Amino acid sequence: MWNVLLSFSGLLALIQLFFLPFFPESPPYLLLQKGDKAGCLKAMKQLWGEGNYHTEFDDMMKEKAVTKGTKIMNVLEVLKEPSVYPQLSTMLLLLLSLQFCGLKIFQTANLQESIIPYVSLGVAISELVSIIFCSSIIDHFGRRILLWGGYLLMALILVLLETSLLLSDQFLWMRYCSVVLIFLFLIAYGIGP
C-alpha cells in the first residue's frame, strides 16, 4: 500500500500548490532582500491581521542595518567559510543517509539488486545538486516562485511515477523511467519546497 501513501503526499502537494498564490511573500524577504517597506507592512497585516507591528518592523530594520555592510556570499564562498562546517557536515550526513531511502520503490520497479545502491547514491547526489542550485537562484526568483513551481513539478512527476510503476511489468524500459522520475522529483523538491 506504499503507492497509496505516495499518492497522499502528492494530494497534499496539490492542496499547497492551490493555496500558495493567495499568500503574500515573507515580510523579512520583502524588506531585507527587496527593500520594499510598504510591501513588508502590507504582508504583515495580511498574515497577522490588523495590529501594530512596528516592533517587529523595527527589528527587521535593525537587522537590515546590521547586514547592510555584509556581503551576500555565493555557494563556493560559503563552502570555504570554516564557521559553517558544523552545519555543512550535518547536511552532508543527512544527504548521505538518504541514499538508503527509496529502496522499496526501486525494488518495486524490479531493478536488479546490484544496481540499487548506485541508484540510491544518485538520489543523494540529485538532492545535493538541487540544494546547491536552489541556493544559487533563490535570490533571483524569490521563494514564492520556487515553491509554486516546485510543487507543480512534484505533482506532475508523482502522477508520471505512479503511471510508470503501474506499467513497469508490461514494459521493461518503464523501470528506468521510474528511476529518472524519482531523480526529477528530488530535484524539484530541493529547488522548491
Side-chain angles (χ1 to χ4, degrees), residues 82-97:
S83 64
V84 298
Y85 286 166
Q87 293 90 343
L88 285 175
S89 61
T90 302
M91 183 181 73
L92 285 175
L93 180 65
L94 178 64
L95 287 174
L96 290 175
S97 67

Side-chain angles (χ1 to χ4, degrees), residues 7-22:
S7 301
F8 181 72
S9 64
L11 176 66
L12 291 178
L14 281 174
I15 291 170
Q16 291 177 356
L17 179 65
F18 177 75
F19 286 109
L20 188 62
F22 300 108

Side-chain angles (χ1 to χ4, degrees), residues 116-127:
I116 291 176
Y118 298 108
V119 174
S120 296
L121 183 61
V123 167
I125 291 170
S126 297
E127 288 193 352

Side-chain angles (χ1 to χ4, degrees), residues 29-171:
Y29 172 76
L30 288 171
L31 183 64
L32 300 175
Q33 299 292 328
K34 297 284 188 179
D36 184 6
K37 294 178 183 179
C40 175
L41 288 171
K42 182 180 175 186
M44 289 172 131
K45 287 179 183 177
Q46 188 175 355
L47 288 170
W48 300 328
E50 292 296 323
N52 187 1
Y53 304 113
H54 291 291
T55 305
E56 292 85 359
F57 186 78
D58 290 340
D59 288 343
M60 283 190 266
M61 288 300 289
K62 289 176 188 173
E63 182 179 347
K64 184 176 181 176
V66 167
T67 60
K68 187 174 185 178
T70 306
K71 179 187 172 214
I72 296 176
M73 299 185 335
N74 62 29
V75 176
L76 291 176
E77 292 170 338
V78 170
L79 291 174
K80 293 177 184 177
E81 180 63 38
S83 64
V84 298
Y85 286 166
Q87 293 90 343
L88 285 175
S89 61
T90 302
M91 183 181 73
L92 285 175
L93 180 65
L94 178 64
L95 287 174
L96 290 175
S97 67
L98 286 175
Q99 64 182 303
F100 298 114
C101 296
L103 185 62
K104 182 65 177 171
I105 292 175
F106 299 141
Q107 288 173 341
T108 302
N110 294 324
L111 293 177
Q112 296 174 357
E113 290 289 327
S114 61
I115 296 175
I116 291 176
Y118 298 108
V119 174
S120 296
L121 183 61
V123 167
I125 291 170
S126 297
E127 288 193 352
L128 182 63
V129 166
S130 67
I131 289 169
I132 291 171
F133 183 67
C134 178
S135 64
S136 302
I137 65 170
I138 194 167
D139 289 334
H140 181 68
F141 290 106
R143 293 181 185 133
R144 177 181 237 176
I145 291 174
L146 292 181
L147 280 171
W148 192 77
Y151 281 127
L152 183 63
L153 281 174
M154 287 168 52
L156 176 66
I157 291 168
L158 284 174
V159 169
L160 294 173
L161 179 62
E162 182 67 25
T163 305
S164 70
L165 288 173
L166 289 173
L167 297 175
S168 65
D169 290 336
Q170 296 172 355
F171 304 103

